[in-house]
Amino acid sequence: MSLVIHLLGRPRVESASGEPYRFRSRKSWALFAYLLLAERPPSRAQLAGLLFAEADDPLGALRWSLAEIRRVVAEGGSIDGDPVVLTLPPRTVVDVEVVMHGTWDSAVAMPGLGAPLLDGGGVRSGAGFDSWLLAAQRRVAAASEAILHEAALATMARGDFAGAVKHAARSAEMSPYDENNHALLIRLYRLAGDDPAAEAQFATCGAVVA
């Protein structure tokens, strides 16, 4: 792989050499995430209004952030045009894409699984970007929880109850009001022979979902 792009938790980009690339602006991270997750290429005017409306020269500010992203994807990738088309270098891994569309065993290997999208990357922007980010965070969180639940079931089927407990506990932590998550975790504690933990989890479930 040539790049690993982490959008879950604190965002970062790792190259094949292991050297991280650091954007100089949070707006560049916000723009990068939007381009990576957008359903279709957005126009420059749309991007400028979404993220740089308060700038004296919104399109100029957009060009500056696009230049930052271009330096990241320079080896084998590109970013250009209007609408803006982002092409990633071959073998690039984007953690959100793995969580949303990959297999559970690939997804659980992502270090940021379960962390919020662009955590700590708040930017001053308009309501449009804030709404998009909130919706994207909810979709990613739901996918992360589903992956952890699937991982718990698959690991349980292999007889690895300790591993299954780990995945189920993270799933229950992400969605504490879902009785199914608590029920699975209680069952796994029982299978692992940890009755005190099962009883404690049952009490937690009753307190949370009552």
Side-chain angles (χ1 to χ4, degrees), residues 8-19:
L8 299 174
R10 286 197 169 272
R12 65 190 188 280
V13 176
E14 296 174 357
S15 66
S17 65
E19 291 295 322

Side-chain angles (χ1 to χ4, degrees), residues 69-80:
I69 296 171
R70 189 173 292 112
R71 284 192 289 272
V72 174
V73 302
E75 297 296 328
S78 64
I79 181 169
D80 210 349

Side-chain angles (χ1 to χ4, degrees), residues 27 30 34 46-55 122-134:
K27 286 287 183 75
Y34 188 86
Q46 179 185 352
L47 292 171
L50 199 65
L51 283 163
F52 306 100
E54 80 291 351
V123 298
R124 290 186 176 182
S125 55
F129 179 78
D130 292 343
S131 296
W132 173 84
L133 180 58
L134 179 60

Side-chain angles (χ1 to χ4, degrees), residues 157-177:
R158 295 176 179 177
D160 180 5
F161 300 131
V165 163
K166 180 182 68 174
H167 297 314
R170 292 177 66 190
S171 181
E173 183 179 354
M174 289 192 68
S175 187
Y177 298 105

Side-chain angles (χ1 to χ4, degrees), residues 3-7 11-14 21 23 25-38 47 51-52 62 65-66 68-73 78-79 86-89 92-94 118 129 132:
L3 293 177
V4 180
I5 301 170
H6 300 273
L7 298 179
R12 65 190 188 280
V13 176
E14 296 174 357
Y21 184 90
F23 285 123
S25 167
R26 289 183 177 182
K27 286 287 183 75
S28 296
W29 266 119
L31 175 61
F32 198 25
Y34 188 86
L35 290 170
L36 286 166
L37 302 180
L47 292 171
L51 283 163
F52 306 100
L62 171 64
S65 284
L66 288 173
E68 272 216 292
I69 296 171
R70 189 173 292 112
R71 284 192 289 272
V72 174
V73 302
S78 64
I79 181 169
L86 171 64
T87 302
L88 297 174
T92 294
V93 173
V94 183
L118 293 184
F129 179 78
W132 173 84

